[in-house]
């Protein structure tokens, strides 16, 4: 059942939906990987006595990631895989391209790296993230997550001090579908219990976040920290240069 405050009358007599929820992307919106994949993988390789160039590892990782993403999209969930087995295969493939052939060593590094990315030291929370989440909550808005991520996301948000801000998390691994499939946003709307018009979504990806959320009637907001989308395709009122701009924009939707 929808709240009777889901709509308000404007001064000119029109009825407008009021904002109740803000959904969030996570990676590259609220936080980012602290060091490059090449650097982090090489650190693990050094720990077991291997000396591999970060540039070589980075190139191998990109190739392995593209291959597995194409052949087994969304962590291969629909093909019987899960996030852990998918990432283990990517890491093994990466190091195999770098001439590491020992199966036991490949497995050990893959499992260690999978766990390492749950640690706060490997993630950097953007300076504007926590304050913006706190401000949104102080405005009376409920917050949720819709992210193309695996099952580690809850632990990562917890160790980075962000988990408590959110009423729910939906990961693509859990949902069995990934952005830009609009079905994942429909799952989020069910959890919100309000109309799409009462919900905003904030993310950094033009297709996966902005267009996909708008396709189901959610207010899509594009976080464009590097000023890459200063075009007519994204109206100025839908584009954020930093999260510090978000609260005042949301308040306009709450009046």
């Amino acid at each position: 059942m929808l709240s009777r405050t889901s709509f308000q009358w404007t001064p000119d007599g029109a009825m407008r939906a009021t904002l109740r929820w803000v959904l969030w992307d996570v990676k590259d919106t609220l936080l980012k990987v602290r060091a490059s994949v090449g650097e982090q993988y090489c650190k693990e390789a050094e720990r077991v006595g291997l000396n591999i160039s970060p540039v070589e590892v980075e190139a191998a990782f990109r190739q392995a990631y593209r291959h597995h993403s194409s052949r087994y999209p969304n962590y291969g969930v629909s093909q019987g895989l899960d996030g852990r087995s998918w990432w283990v295969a990517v890491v093994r493939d990466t190091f195999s391209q770098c001439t590491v052939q020992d199966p036991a060593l490949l497995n050990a590094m893959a499992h260690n790296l999978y766990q390492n990315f749950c640690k706060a030291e490997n993630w950097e929370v953007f300076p504007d993230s926590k304050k913006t989440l706190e401000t949104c909550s102080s405005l009376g808005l409920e917050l949720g997550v819709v992210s193309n991520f695996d099952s580690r996301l809850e632990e990562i948000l917890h160790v980075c001090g962000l988990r408590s801000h959110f009423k729910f998390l939906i990961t693509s691994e859990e949902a069995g579908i990934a952005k830009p499939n609009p079905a994942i946003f429909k799952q989020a709307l069910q959890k919100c219990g309000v109309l799409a018009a009462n919900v905003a979504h904030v993310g950094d990806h033009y297709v996966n976040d902005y267009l996909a959320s708008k396709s189901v009637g959610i207010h899509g907001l594009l976080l464009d920290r590097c000023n890459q989308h200063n075009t007519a395709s994204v109206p100025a009122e839908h584009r954020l240069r930093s999260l510090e701009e978000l609260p005042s924009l949301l308040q306009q939707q709450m009046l």
Side-chain angles (χ1 to χ4, degrees):
M1 180 178 294
L2 298 178
S3 166
R4 60 191 179 91
T5 59
S6 293
F7 294 89
Q8 290 186 352
W9 296 100
T10 63
D12 60 1
M15 189 168 66
R16 186 181 73 178
T18 53
L19 205 60
R20 293 289 172 253
W21 282 82
V22 181
L23 302 176
W24 294 83
D25 174 54
V26 174
K27 184 175 177 292
D28 298 325
T29 295
L30 294 171
L31 49 75
K32 64 179 180 178
V33 176
R34 190 175 295 276
S36 73
V37 170
E39 291 172 326
Q40 299 208 41
Y41 280 32
C42 281
K43 184 178 179 181
E44 175 61 23
E46 290 172 3
R47 196 185 67 80
V48 296
L50 299 175
N51 185 16
I52 308 173
S53 160
V55 174
E56 180 185 3
V57 173
E58 187 79 34
F61 168 78
R62 292 184 184 279
Q63 182 175 335
Y65 184 88
R66 284 195 301 267
H67 170 73
H68 287 271
S69 295
S70 175
R71 187 171 181 182
Y72 307 106
N74 191 29
Y75 310 111
V77 171
S78 65
Q79 295 147 289
L81 301 177
D82 60 16
R84 176 185 285 272
S85 58
W86 191 90
W87 277 112
V88 165
V90 169
V91 175
R92 284 176 54 93
D93 191 0
T94 297
F95 283 117
S96 292
Q97 292 180 55
C98 300
T99 70
V100 180
Q101 301 301 324
D102 184 340
L105 197 57
L106 289 170
N107 278 332
M109 289 192 294
H111 287 287
N112 286 342
L113 282 165
Y114 183 84
Q115 291 301 325
N116 286 346
F117 276 90
C118 290
K119 298 177 181 177
E121 65 194 46
N122 289 321
W123 297 93
E124 180 180 345
V125 178
F126 288 110
D128 53 7
S129 294
K130 289 185 179 181
K131 182 179 179 180
T132 300
L133 292 172
E134 290 168 356
T135 301
C136 286
S137 295
S138 72
L139 292 173
L141 293 164
E142 305 281 10
L143 310 181
V145 164
V146 182
S147 177
N148 284 355
F149 215 98
D150 58 63
S151 60
R152 294 174 293 179
L153 183 60
E154 182 152 14
E155 183 174 354
I156 290 169
L157 289 172
H158 176 72
V159 299
C160 290
L162 300 179
R163 177 63 184 91
S164 61
H165 294 288
F166 303 108
K167 294 291 185 180
F168 67 82
L169 310 180
I170 295 180
T171 65
S172 59
E173 181 181 359
E174 171 201 356
I177 43 178
K179 300 181 291 188
N181 189 326
I184 195 170
F185 284 105
K186 291 178 181 178
Q187 286 190 21
L189 288 175
Q190 290 180 343
K191 288 183 177 290
C192 294
V194 297
L195 294 174
N198 301 120
V199 181
H201 174 73
V202 181
D204 70 297
H205 196 284
Y206 175 67
V207 175
N208 290 351
D209 293 308
Y210 180 66
L211 292 183
S213 62
K214 283 174 62 66
S215 74
V216 299
I218 290 172
H219 298 284
L221 299 171
L222 182 66
L223 178 61
D224 187 16
R225 295 184 186 275
C226 298
N227 198 28
Q228 297 175 328
H229 296 281
N230 190 12
T231 66
S233 62
V234 184
E237 62 270 23
H238 295 173
R239 191 169 65 94
L240 305 167
R241 290 298 306 278
S242 80
L243 292 180
E244 292 176 347
E245 300 174 5
L246 181 65
S248 61
L249 189 152
L250 295 179
Q251 282 181 291
Q252 295 173 23
Q253 292 294 323
M254 297 175 68
L255 295 176

